[in-house]
Amino acid sequence: MIAPTASAPPLTVEERRQPLPGAAAGGAEAAGWRWALIWIVVAALLRAVLSSLVPLLPDETYYWLWTHRIEAGYFDHPPGIAFLIRLGTLLFGETTIGVRTGPAIAALLTHVTAVMAAWYLAGKGEAGARSASRAALLLLVIPIATLGLVLATPDAALFAMATAAILGVERALAAPLRSWSGFGWWTLAGVCLGAAFVAKYTAVLLPLGLVVACLMHPALRARFREGGPWWASVIALTLFAPVVLWNYVHEWISFRFQLGHGFNPSVRGSVLSRELELLGGQAGLASPILFVLLAMTVWYAARDGWRSRHSAQSTDASVRRFALAVISVVPMLFFAVSASRRSVEANWPALIYPSAVLLLATETRTFAMSRWWTRGVAFAAFLLLVVSLQAWRPLLPLAPRKDPIARAHGWVALAAAVERARKDPFLDGTVDRWVATNRYQESAEVAFHLPDQPMVFSLNINSRPNQFDLWETAYDEVRPGDGMVAVFDDNPDGDALGVRVGAWFAESKRGEAVELRRGDGVVTTRRIWLYRIARNVPARPRELPSLSGAR
């Protein structure tokens, strides 16, 4: 006979309201993922709004021109940005939304990949969901991630592929030595790293940072004895090989230009002023408070990993964090050396951010979870709001010539004036009516905004060399009897160029002056020149201008 058991007393109302064991943790994890999704969606919507408010900048239309001649390389960069823009224009045509759609997809991939990487690095579960949410929030508020990735520039593809490569590297380092799972993650890292090479040459600093970390840390040196890193290197270099071959065929023109661009000596400013300018630029791209928190996190990750180097196992989190810290530090050191010779543009060291953001998102020390985190996020969000409003309307007391957003404005009016000049009776009797400017940025903008989007030459007289020097030029295409509409600065130097080019033709005419405006402010002024009956067009220069020529 089974003895009766005592029945449990009925639950009170308060007890029924208490979550089951583990439910609180599950709720926190779900909340973390919910917020991560919210931040990703908000960032995507904000980028879409900004993309609609800001016309294409000159560099964006320059890269758009590349898509008309897809190659394995270009004068300034590898072809990654051309591939991205081409994807968008296939979907939405030769329009602003078409140019920026591919980079928008890359920005979304950056955000999603960073969230995944933070979740893994923090150990999944509730801590991982919280870190994923923090990573998503960081990539929403720091200017380089939201504002910078609105534009169709090589940084869009670089950020996406570098973040995905870092995800692959972190997971490969978390896997046991010589395991199949590790080999799979190394394969992903190799593919993404090769794509990053195709996006921008500075991507080479990512594997350089990893190699430095492996050489420094005993637990990481063991990775040289497994096949995964070597396989990843083979994949990356194979993907990059067409870019190398293109450079070989073109006498290493792109490599030489970028090396000279970063290391040719400059008389502008002192070494100290350039180094401070480099730091100030990074503080602006990340916002000041968050930049300090990012730097502190990288420091602690490097210090802790170094201190535990004799006892740590190869798969320990401290070892992976050490590797990410070194990957972040190496680009900064590289451009600090570059700044000792010439000024460094703020976006050049962008590779410091993907791994630094992951470290800060997963950091559990007090400084990263305290009021300074809240203040940093709030201040970055405030800056983001201010810049977004400035993109909508010129609210800040900036002179139009010093407003970087103003560089995107006025090109529609200039193209309209060029179109009127193409129909001017002065050009009657000419065969072909070509269009030219003296700078590649202006040629690209005019070409994009003209109704038929024709070829527009860049004469590059006393201007820095660029991709137009590798294509057909006015020296090659303008034939006897042709006419041309040209755009120069509306000043004595511009008039001198107008007269100089006029010597190529039987007649010339000084046309209208066009003010490039943003709102009520004048950004700059250009002068239209008309030429008819070409007769003395000089031969194309035998060699490109010096790579250290004026910009």
Side-chain angles (χ1 to χ4, degrees):
M1 183 177 181
I2 301 174
T5 57
S7 59
L11 297 175
T12 65
V13 174
E14 289 75 13
E15 289 173 330
R16 290 176 183 174
R17 290 177 177 172
Q18 294 300 316
L20 296 174
E29 184 175 353
W33 282 114
R34 184 166 57 252
W35 280 110
L37 179 60
I38 289 172
W39 301 138
I40 291 173
V41 171
V42 170
L45 292 175
L46 179 57
R47 284 192 293 267
V49 170
L50 291 173
S51 181
S52 67
L53 293 177
V54 181
L56 294 179
L57 286 156
D59 281 351
E60 295 181 277
T61 52
Y62 180 49
Y63 302 139
W64 161 77
L65 280 177
W66 295 2
T67 67
H68 294 176
R69 305 186 187 194
I70 294 294
E71 302 180 44
Y74 297 93
F75 186 95
D76 310 70
H77 293 290
I81 184 58
F83 296 157
L84 270 187
I85 294 175
R86 185 59 177 160
L87 171 64
T89 56
L90 286 174
L91 295 172
F92 298 106
E94 311 287 325
T95 61
T96 298
I97 187 173
V99 170
R100 286 179 173 161
T101 292
I105 295 172
L108 181 61
L109 177 62
T110 299
H111 220 144
V112 171
T113 307
V115 166
M116 292 177 59
W119 177 63
Y120 276 123
L121 183 60
K124 305 181 183 179
E126 181 183 351
R130 180 177 62 248
S131 296
S133 174
R134 284 162 57 90
L137 181 57
L138 279 173
L139 289 180
L140 165 62
V141 299
I142 62 175
I144 191 173
T146 295
L147 300 175
L149 298 184
V150 168
L151 306 178
T153 69
D155 286 336
L158 176 66
F159 255 71
M161 293 299 99
T163 305
I166 287 172
L167 168 63
V169 167
E170 192 278 332
R171 285 293 82 203
L173 295 180
L177 287 167
R178 292 180 288 278
S179 65
W180 281 110
S181 63
F183 190 81
W185 286 111
W186 282 120
T187 301
L188 173 66
V191 171
C192 295
L193 182 59
F197 287 167
V198 174
K200 199 170 183 179
Y201 295 126
T202 52
V204 72
L205 297 176
L206 194 159
L208 177 62
L210 181 59
V211 169
V212 170
C214 290
L215 291 174
M216 293 175 62
H217 202 289
L220 289 171
R221 279 200 295 273
R223 296 291 173 177
F224 288 131
R225 298 195 294 271
E226 65 174 341
W230 305 103
W231 172 238
S233 301
V234 169
I235 295 174
L237 292 175
T238 300
L239 292 175
F240 188 55
V243 181
V244 177
L245 179 60
W246 183 92
N247 271 275
Y248 170 74
V249 171
H250 292 83
E251 300 180 357
W252 311 108
I253 190 71
S254 189
F255 290 164
R256 289 191 293 125
F257 168 71
Q258 286 296 346
L259 287 173
H261 202 37
F263 288 100
N264 281 345
S266 171
V267 297
R268 176 185 166 190
S270 64
V271 173
L272 178 60
S273 67
R274 291 195 296 268
E275 298 292 352
L276 292 176
E277 182 181 2
L278 171 62
L279 282 176
Q282 301 320 299
L285 290 181
S287 76
I289 298 175
L290 289 181
F291 179 70
V292 172
L293 294 182
L294 288 165
M296 291 175 64
T297 305
V298 169
W299 160 254
Y300 279 117
R303 188 199 66 175
D304 293 348
W306 182 250
R307 285 180 174 178
S308 64
R309 66 189 182 281
H310 297 303
S311 58
Q313 300 298 312
S314 61
T315 57
D316 286 354
S318 64
V319 176
R320 285 175 275 144
R321 294 181 69 83
F322 176 84
L324 293 178
V326 177
I327 288 172
S328 182
V329 167
V330 164
M332 194 67 181
L333 293 178
F334 178 87
F335 284 105
V337 173
S338 177
S340 69
R341 298 180 62 82
R342 65 180 300 122
S343 294
V344 171
E345 294 184 17
N347 67 305
W348 289 1
L351 273 179
I352 70 177
Y353 292 104
S355 54
V357 164
L358 295 183
L359 291 173
L360 179 55
T362 56
E363 179 59 71
T364 57
R365 283 184 171 85
T366 302
F367 76 86
M369 310 289 288
S370 66
R371 288 175 294 178
W372 284 111
W373 162 268
T374 305
R375 292 168 180 169
V377 169
F379 187 62
F382 171 74
L383 292 179
L384 183 64
L385 176 62
V386 169
V387 176
S388 299
L389 292 174
Q390 179 70 10
W392 173 46
R393 289 183 180 176
L395 304 177
L396 298 177
L398 295 175
R401 294 176 185 271
K402 295 184 178 180
D403 181 0
I405 299 174
R407 295 172 50 236
H409 291 263
W411 301 109
V412 172
L414 181 61
V418 169
E419 182 66 10
R420 289 193 296 272
R422 293 169 77 189
K423 299 175 181 178
D424 193 295
F426 177 78
L427 296 178
D428 289 349
T430 58
V431 183
D432 291 320
R433 301 183 182 186
W434 302 98
V435 180
T437 81
N438 193 49
R439 300 185 185 91
Y440 70 92
Q441 301 98 325
E442 295 171 0
S443 293
E445 287 281 0
V446 171
F448 183 83
H449 289 101
L450 282 174
D452 55 340
Q453 295 185 331
M455 175 191 294
V456 176
F457 298 122
S458 181
L459 301 177
N460 295 339
I461 301 173
N462 299 325
S463 181
R464 87 149 171 90
N466 53 73
Q467 183 63 31
F468 282 93
D469 290 305
L470 303 183
W471 290 337
E472 298 87 351
T473 67
Y475 307 106
D476 306 309
E477 299 296 316
V478 178
R479 297 286 184 260
D482 286 353
M484 190 166 75
V485 175
V487 177
F488 299 109
D489 293 339
D490 185 31
N491 58 31
D493 290 338
D495 288 345
L497 284 177
V499 172
R500 177 176 172 177
V501 174
W504 304 356
F505 297 83
E507 296 181 73
S508 62
K509 174 183 175 182
R510 193 167 181 262
E512 66 176 300
V514 182
E515 292 181 339
L516 277 66
R517 291 178 167 271
R518 187 187 183 202
D520 296 330
V522 177
V523 182
T524 187
T525 306
R526 295 290 183 264
R527 173 72 62 178
I528 306 292
W529 285 76
L530 294 83
Y531 306 105
R532 66 187 310 271
I533 314 299
R535 60 181 184 181
N536 296 315
V537 179
R540 178 178 179 143
R542 295 181 61 184
E543 296 181 357
L544 286 175
S546 168
L547 293 183
S548 60
R551 295 195 62 179

